[in-house]
Amino acid sequence: MEFFRAHVLVCGGTGCTSSNSEKIRQEFEAQIKKNGLDKEVKIVTTGCHGLCAEGPIVVVYPEGAMYTMVRFEDVKEIVDEHLIKGRLVKRLMAGDKNAQDASKSLENVDFFKRQVRIALRNCGIINPESIDEYIAYDGYKALAKALTEMKPEEVVAEIKKSGLRGRGGAGFPTGLKWELTAKAAGDQKYVLCNADEGDPGAFMDRSVLEGDPHSVLEAMAIAGYAVGADQGYIYVRAEYPIAVKRLEIAVKQAREYNLLGKNIFGTNFSFDIELRLGAGAFVCGEETALMTSIEGHRGEPRPKPPFPAVSGLWKKPTLLNNVESYANIPVILNNGADWFTKIGSEKSKGTKVFAVGGKINNTGLVEIPIGTTLREIIYDIGGGIPNGKKFKAAQTGGPSGGCIPASKIDTPMDYEPLKELGSMMGSGGLIVMDEDNCMVDIARFFLEFTVDESCGKCPPCRIGTKRMLEILEKITSGKGEMEDIDKLELLAKNITASALCGLGQSAPQPVLSTLRFFRDEYIAHVKDKKCPAGVCKSMMSYVISADHCKSCGICAKNCPVGAISGEKKMPYSIDQEKCIKCGACMEKCPFKAIFKNA
Amino acid sequence: MKSIAELEAIRNKTLDEIKMRKNSNGIRIVVGMATCGIAAGARPVMNTFVEELGKRQLSDVSVTMTGCIGVCRLEPIVEVFDADGNKVTYVKMTAEKASRVVTEHIVNGRVCSDLTIDAAVNEGK
């Protein structure tokens, strides 16, 4: 055994990688080598910790000291101070950077204290490219238990009992899905993993794949045993290069250990997994489109029934679960369904991961027991809204979901309560909005996304969403009429009723939900030709306050279109004809003399 | 992978290597590594601890560094904390003395009283 006195964990998730964590890791290596510490200190690349807003993140054990926003130049200081002299570098520590308390470690940070990490249990803790580390954290124990101690029916029964529901969004009971596939007649069955994460802002699946790929492989093998399949496919988008690379390594390692392959654990059970890379079409996250794509055809959905459990991939019975659902499986088998049912709400057991973004202090991934209120997520874990702004709404479920207004902030985050509000749990994207967000514009943004991503197979989605977008554009550009709102609502209801797949059926949700809670904003756009939040450009203007202007001319210098003019000792003014409303002048004005006029 | 025993073996082996990340509450060896400590030869002392612990597979013992305690004349200083937080302070350490501390104190639980700060202070009287 090699003994190291310290482990330096550098986050290698996509968030931290894009803020240069790879360079930081290399610099750690260089500095550690330079100081002759390479026999004493081990450097480990881990998956995402979830606190992406504070990245790049470095955790140093045995102290468990968490350094945030580490810059290249900081590495030398951490090595010199912490690793050589044993003094924590407090200015880089998470939380209150002036804290006198040196024991501020990972577990004590507010962001982590309130979380219950099941699906993300190993993310940021183990080296995702080491199967041994996964095994050390009870990895493949559940598979061993299932294969040697349990009958397939017992595995299915255990998952059913746990009450786990699909984490991809719809919340279909996972155990029931397994049972249906297990009972379906067929000589060949398949187990699929839906890793085609496409909702704007949602990245929990990517994090699991990058931080703990073996948990998905193990769960798929368990599923294969439970339903009687010997082949699995992971459908992952090619835009996730780090996830793909780590999955490839994981599959290779699992095969070397014969945890995938023939006669696993000396039993009769054989199971293998292959990756299929998606080209990034949103519709391929829909189960039938996903299977069509794996078969090598254009990714388009087909009508259901038959459901995949009966006739799925290559018309064989197929089990399809989402990455996060799979990540829960090994823990459920290890700890038992009874343990799992103690977490969560009455109807929905366990935890859900949310990707919290938008106007919130702690952008990142949080895993919380289902039923935790939106208020707790935003204020206790998320650290509240930046710049003292007021919370206005939270968008969940991405383009298929809706908005939760401030008045419903105590709604528990659970499948049914969210559905009642016209939103949905979805894959767990949670976009927080403050008073500066225009709800009509938000609806327009999501519609634009669905129009772009519609596969075009069925007319309601192909044509209907396009017409809706046109109406929304008309309204946001100040040309809307009152009957447009009614038309929009009628179209939305018809598309929901007639589209072929889940993508089309749910596409009008962002419009319906904003119409329900923020109809007054639509009316303000149409009747008063005003955008209350000052977002829609055609309905707002920038003005210079004559009382505050000191005629410094900075605004004029920064205006990209030369729309601002003025003379010394005279207040400047903006030519509204020329102004493109970029806001550069307001940002640069040292006297805060420029205002948005909504 | 043919058996659960095989899986268990990998698990235990790796667990030892990464135990420090699991907040183990074992013995903690703290080496004074400020300028004074390093000048007095703390580096080989530290290296010896790391080597000896590795050799004996004592993964629940952590080795950390600290700054100057203020009695620079007695450096290199090493403090050994047990699980309950009781501490023994060793002074004027060398690599040889470090191996002895591992064998006698860490492994067998017998404090090397002749190397402690008490011994050094009394000697001077």
Side-chain angles (χ1 to χ4, degrees):
Chain A
M1 183 191 85
E2 275 189 279
F3 184 89
F4 292 94
R5 67 173 172 81
H7 289 192
V8 176
L9 277 58
V10 183
C11 179
T14 295
C16 288
T17 302
S18 53
S19 44
N20 254 342
S21 69
E22 177 55 25
K23 274 226 172 106
I24 286 169
R25 192 186 60 81
Q26 287 165 1
E27 177 68 0
F28 264 111
E29 270 172 12
Q31 287 290 339
I32 281 170
K33 196 139 197 200
K34 197 175 121 201
N35 288 292
L37 300 172
D38 43 343
K39 290 258 153 48
E40 299 165 30
V41 181
K42 184 178 185 175
I43 301 168
V44 185
T45 306
T46 67
C48 180
H49 291 81
L51 195 54
C52 306
E54 296 278 313
I57 287 173
V58 173
V59 182
V60 181
Y61 285 95
E63 292 89 350
M66 183 174 198
Y67 294 118
T68 53
M69 293 193 183
V70 177
R71 289 168 311 152
F72 188 80
E73 308 86 80
D74 298 329
V75 174
K76 189 172 177 326
E77 188 177 344
I78 295 176
V79 172
D80 287 353
E81 286 292 307
H82 188 156
L83 294 172
I84 296 185
K85 294 180 190 150
R87 289 199 291 244
L88 303 181
V89 186
K90 282 181 198 152
R91 68 172 184 90
L92 296 172
M93 306 273 280
D96 182 6
K97 301 213 170 177
N98 303 318
Q100 291 301 304
D101 174 18
S103 69
K104 268 263 182 194
S105 73
L106 194 61
E107 288 70 20
N108 295 329
V109 179
D110 282 340
F111 179 76
F112 289 107
K113 260 195 301 201
R114 303 286 298 248
Q115 299 191 43
V116 178
R117 288 164 89 90
I118 299 177
L120 299 177
R121 63 193 176 280
N122 291 331
C123 289
I125 294 171
I126 66 166
N127 176 352
E129 297 182 9
S130 160
I131 188 170
D132 287 357
E133 288 200 9
Y134 178 66
I135 291 173
Y137 281 81
D138 292 335
Y140 291 104
K141 200 168 131 188
L143 177 64
K145 185 176 170 185
L147 294 187
T148 57
E149 293 170 25
M150 299 168 87
K151 290 191 194 115
E153 307 86 80
E154 287 169 351
V155 176
V156 172
E158 194 71 9
I159 301 302
K160 253 181 114 172
K161 199 170 143 202
S162 76
L164 176 67
R165 300 173 66 175
R167 298 290 190 250
F172 189 82
T174 306
L176 186 58
K177 217 176 198 178
W178 286 32
E179 188 178 57
L180 292 171
T181 319
K183 282 188 176 155
D187 49 340
Q188 171 74 55
K189 294 180 189 177
Y190 295 105
V191 169
L192 305 187
C193 174
N194 185 347
D196 192 65
E197 189 172 44
D199 285 3
F203 58 95
M204 60 286 302
D205 293 349
R206 187 188 75 207
S207 249
V208 170
L209 296 174
E210 287 174 356
D212 195 15
H214 284 285
S215 68
V216 175
L217 304 189
E218 181 182 6
M220 287 177 73
I222 294 169
Y225 176 69
V227 305
D230 64 356
Q231 180 64 49
Y233 293 97
I234 300 176
Y235 189 85
V236 55
R237 37 183 46 216
E239 291 117 309
Y240 283 179
I242 301 176
V244 171
K245 182 183 137 218
R246 300 217 171 119
L247 274 174
E248 279 167 352
I249 294 171
V251 168
K252 190 169 156 266
Q253 289 174 337
R255 281 182 189 152
E256 275 164 15
Y257 275 12
N258 198 30
L259 291 163
L260 289 176
K262 299 245 175 287
N263 303 103
I264 300 169
F265 286 113
T267 63
N268 291 328
F269 176 66
S270 302
F271 188 78
D272 202 11
I273 292 175
E274 280 180 35
L275 303 188
R276 286 289 180 270
L277 303 194
F282 181 65
V283 74
C284 288
E286 198 279 337
E287 55 183 5
T288 58
L290 183 148
M291 292 185 297
T292 317
S293 176
I294 291 182
E295 288 168 3
H297 304 292
R298 185 191 171 117
E300 284 181 343
R302 60 160 176 76
K304 289 185 279 191
F307 289 95
V310 180
S311 171
L313 189 62
W314 289 299
K315 302 213 161 40
K316 304 288 184 191
T318 302
L319 175 73
L320 178 75
N321 287 132
N322 155 272
V323 172
E324 194 190 330
S325 312
Y326 278 130
N328 278 288
I329 300 289
V331 191
I332 293 174
L333 285 196
N334 279 333
N335 295 356
D338 291 332
W339 168 83
F340 193 74
T341 53
K342 290 198 183 82
I343 304 162
S345 71
E346 186 61 39
K347 275 189 168 171
S348 316
K349 304 303 178 193
T351 59
K352 176 80 192 90
V353 185
F354 287 95
V356 188
K359 307 283 179 66
I360 188 140
N361 279 317
N362 296 336
T363 304
L365 277 190
V366 300
E367 180 167 355
I368 40 145
I370 295 180
T372 305
T373 64
L374 181 59
R375 185 190 295 277
E376 286 172 84
I377 299 181
I378 293 177
Y379 289 101
D380 298 345
I381 301 172
I385 317 287
N387 307 323
K389 296 272 182 173
K390 245 174 75 193
F391 169 70
K392 183 174 186 179
Q395 211 279 349
T396 64
S400 307
C403 291
I404 306 167
S407 59
K408 308 276 183 194
I409 191 169
D410 288 308
T411 306
M413 298 300 275
D414 192 351
Y415 295 94
E416 279 74 26
L418 286 180
K419 213 168 185 177
E420 275 164 35
L421 288 180
S423 185
M424 73 183 295
M425 192 93 119
S427 56
L430 184 77
I431 299 164
V432 181
M433 290 172 276
D434 68 6
E435 48 200 308
D436 292 340
N437 287 97
C438 166
M439 303 315 284
V440 187
D441 188 61
I442 293 288
R444 190 196 55 78
F445 166 79
F446 280 110
L447 243 289
E448 204 174 67
F449 180 85
T450 22
V451 167
D452 219 30
E453 291 292 348
S454 171
C455 77
K457 187 171 180 176
C458 74
C461 179
R462 183 183 67 236
I463 305 169
T465 56
K466 179 88 181 147
R467 292 291 93 84
M468 283 180 76
L469 178 62
E470 282 165 7
I471 297 175
L472 283 170
E473 277 167 349
K474 193 174 159 197
I475 294 176
T476 53
S477 59
K479 293 172 194 139
E481 293 152 45
M482 278 312 279
E483 60 198 50
D484 284 333
I485 299 180
D486 300 330
K487 236 190 250 171
L488 198 61
E489 217 163 11
L490 181 70
L491 250 174
K493 283 177 180 155
N494 285 343
I495 294 172
T496 305
S498 58
L500 171 61
C501 78
L503 172 78
Q505 287 157 13
S506 61
Q509 274 308 315
V511 173
L512 287 172
S513 127
T514 46
L515 268 175
R516 176 167 162 195
F517 293 113
F518 300 96
R519 189 177 272 269
D520 52 333
E521 277 192 37
Y522 280 84
I523 293 172
H525 279 77
V526 173
K527 270 201 176 149
D528 314 333
K529 309 291 174 207
K530 268 197 164 112
C531 174
V535 172
C536 298
K537 286 190 176 166
S538 64
M539 276 173 267
M540 50 86 70
S541 54
Y542 287 97
V543 281
I544 299 174
S545 151
D547 297 343
H548 295 88
C549 180
K550 304 262 191 260
S551 316
C552 66
I554 289 177
C555 53
K557 267 188 209 133
N558 280 288
C559 179
V561 290
I564 306 180
S565 55
E567 278 168 49
K568 271 186 187 165
K569 294 193 178 154
M570 291 286 287
Y572 276 54
S573 66
I574 302 173
D575 181 350
Q576 298 298 340
E577 289 293 306
K578 282 189 192 164
C579 177
I580 55 164
K581 290 158 192 173
C582 65
C585 52
M586 189 168 95
E587 215 172 275
K588 296 282 187 219
C589 177
F591 308 106
K592 300 204 183 324
I594 303 180
F595 298 94
K596 251 189 204 178
N597 197 355
Chain B
M1 198 71 50
K2 289 290 164 224
S3 67
I4 295 174
E6 236 177 288
L7 187 73
E8 196 63 18
I10 296 174
R11 180 171 178 269
N12 290 334
K13 182 184 144 279
T14 317
L15 211 46
D16 277 347
E17 284 169 15
I18 60 174
K19 207 178 245 168
M20 78 165 66
R21 290 186 229 160
K22 288 197 140 184
N23 284 346
S24 61
N25 286 319
I27 300 174
R28 216 150 47 90
I29 301 174
V30 181
V31 184
M33 291 281 262
T35 307
C36 50
I38 296 171
R43 161 83 30 213
V45 172
M46 152 81 78
N47 290 345
T48 309
F49 275 117
V50 172
E51 273 165 39
E52 288 285 333
L53 294 174
K55 241 189 261 169
R56 291 162 201 272
Q57 317 239 323
L58 296 170
S59 57
D60 54 345
V61 180
S62 73
V63 181
T64 53
M65 298 180 169
T66 188
C68 173
I69 272 172
V71 260
C72 310
R73 65 187 179 93
L74 296 178
E75 291 282 356
I77 296 176
V78 172
E79 300 192 300
V80 178
F81 293 79
D82 66 13
D84 303 322
N86 303 316
K87 109 182 145 175
V88 175
T89 307
Y90 292 112
V91 297
K92 292 188 174 172
M93 290 297 283
T94 60
E96 293 74 39
K97 287 180 186 170
S99 337
R100 228 188 97 199
V101 168
V102 173
T103 332
E104 294 180 20
H105 185 163
I106 311 292
V107 178
N108 293 316
R110 283 198 319 266
V111 175
C112 310
S113 2
D114 58 317
L115 304 179
T116 62
I117 189 162
D118 287 346
V121 169
N122 289 333
E123 199 177 87
K125 273 181 187 167

